[in-house]
Amino acid sequence: AQSVTQLDSHVSVSEGTPVLLRCNYSSSYSPSLFWYVQHPNKGLQLLLKYTSAATLVKGINGFEAEFKKSETSFHLTKPSAHMSDAAEYFCVVSEMTHDMRFGAGTRLTVKP
Amino acid sequence: DGGITQSPKYLFRKEGQNVTLSCEQNLNHDAMYWYRQDPGQGLRLIYYSQIVNDFQKGDIAEGYSVSREKKESFPLTVTSAQKNPTAFYLCASSAHAVQLTGSGANVLTFGAGSRLTVL
């Protein structure tokens, strides 16, 4: 069975400093992995996806993630945080489209 | 612009009442999904539909019902049998029906959500 663990429920950074949101996954197959972002009382928006091509995936708004099979990780990074990055971030693992497993989410706070 | 429209945005229900949440998409997507979101938890799948007139239970289908009479529409009814219905409900769609992910991974497009509160 597939599962995903987001290692931090809350991350706080200062504006202009790097962001690291950690995600570990478990899967019997070669899964697809996603990061979604959710602003308060809104739907989820896709940031990026990994689908067995390049292990370093670039997404929108300067975010990127690296797939590391040996570590079963898919951490999300951004070199410099912006105030507008404050939101909830979800890591998702999927073997089948109808069976996507969402992490519990990481709330990112950006301090001025 | 193409997208998913959920209504109402906020809904209040008295105990014992059924309520229906609307979800409409104009993306021409085959598959549609309903998720429930509770604070501090990820999304959990309630129901999904691959094609018109067909739908499957997800992980937490008890106390909910759906229909798929049109490709564009996938309404969710929260019945009185759902004992803890207060939550944020998200509708999503994907271009294709169920398939193995991988190089052709299906991306979910989400609506803005409906917040249901039981009084």
Side-chain angles (χ1 to χ4, degrees):
Chain A
Q2 57 183 349
S3 65
V4 61
T5 302
Q6 291 184 242
L7 299 172
D8 306 291
S9 60
H10 184 212
V11 170
S12 182
V13 301
S14 297
E15 191 174 21
T17 64
V19 175
L20 170 63
L21 305 183
R22 299 182 295 164
C23 173
N24 286 350
Y25 72 92
S26 173
S27 176
S28 302
Y29 303 97
S30 296
S32 291
L33 294 157
F34 307 81
W35 276 98
Y36 283 86
V37 61
Q38 183 181 34
H39 289 91
N41 293 309
K42 301 290 186 183
L44 277 70
Q45 179 186 16
L46 180 70
L47 277 179
L48 49 83
K49 67 177 183 180
Y50 166 77
T51 57
S52 73
T55 57
L56 183 62
V57 182
K58 293 188 182 300
I60 62 172
N61 300 334
F63 285 95
E64 62 181 37
E66 185 172 9
F67 173 70
K68 293 186 175 180
K69 187 174 182 178
S70 61
E71 299 176 10
T72 61
S73 69
F74 190 57
H75 301 335
L76 181 71
T77 62
K78 183 174 181 177
S80 176
H82 190 272
M83 295 297 292
S84 61
D85 294 328
E88 187 99 19
Y89 291 79
F90 293 94
C91 182
V92 183
V93 62
S94 176
E95 296 169 0
M96 300 279 283
T97 306
H98 74 285
D99 192 20
M100 292 193 164
R101 297 291 160 171
F102 287 77
T106 298
R107 183 174 302 278
L108 176 64
T109 300
V110 182
K111 299 175 289 186
Chain B
D1 286 338
I4 297 179
T5 301
Q6 290 187 241
S7 63
K9 189 172 178 63
Y10 299 96
L11 184 61
F12 299 90
R13 187 193 96 172
K14 294 180 180 179
E15 288 199 23
Q17 283 184 335
N18 293 355
V19 293
T20 297
L21 308 181
S22 170
C23 177
E24 303 277 335
Q25 55 102 353
N26 60 3
L27 300 164
N28 199 32
H29 282 177
D30 288 334
M32 297 185 74
Y33 313 79
W34 274 105
Y35 288 90
R36 171 178 171 143
Q37 184 178 22
D38 295 285
Q41 299 188 36
L43 278 64
R44 292 180 291 168
L45 183 64
I46 304 172
Y47 269 98
Y48 67 96
S49 169
Q50 302 173 52
I51 57 174
V52 173
N53 293 323
D54 182 69
F55 47 83
Q56 306 294 328
K57 292 182 179 180
D59 298 322
I60 56 167
E62 184 175 352
Y64 300 96
S65 66
V66 294
S67 63
R68 187 92 185 270
E69 297 177 0
K70 299 185 299 181
K71 185 175 184 177
E72 313 80 52
S73 178
F74 192 41
L76 173 74
T77 297
V78 185
T79 75
S80 57
Q82 171 50 239
K83 297 307 178 188
N84 185 22
T86 295
F88 192 52
Y89 291 88
L90 288 158
C91 179
S93 68
S94 63
H96 306 297
V98 171
Q99 65 179 54
L100 283 172
T101 54
S103 60
N106 257 338
V107 171
L108 294 180
T109 300
F110 284 87
S114 293
R115 186 168 297 281
L116 173 63
T117 302
V118 174
L119 301 175

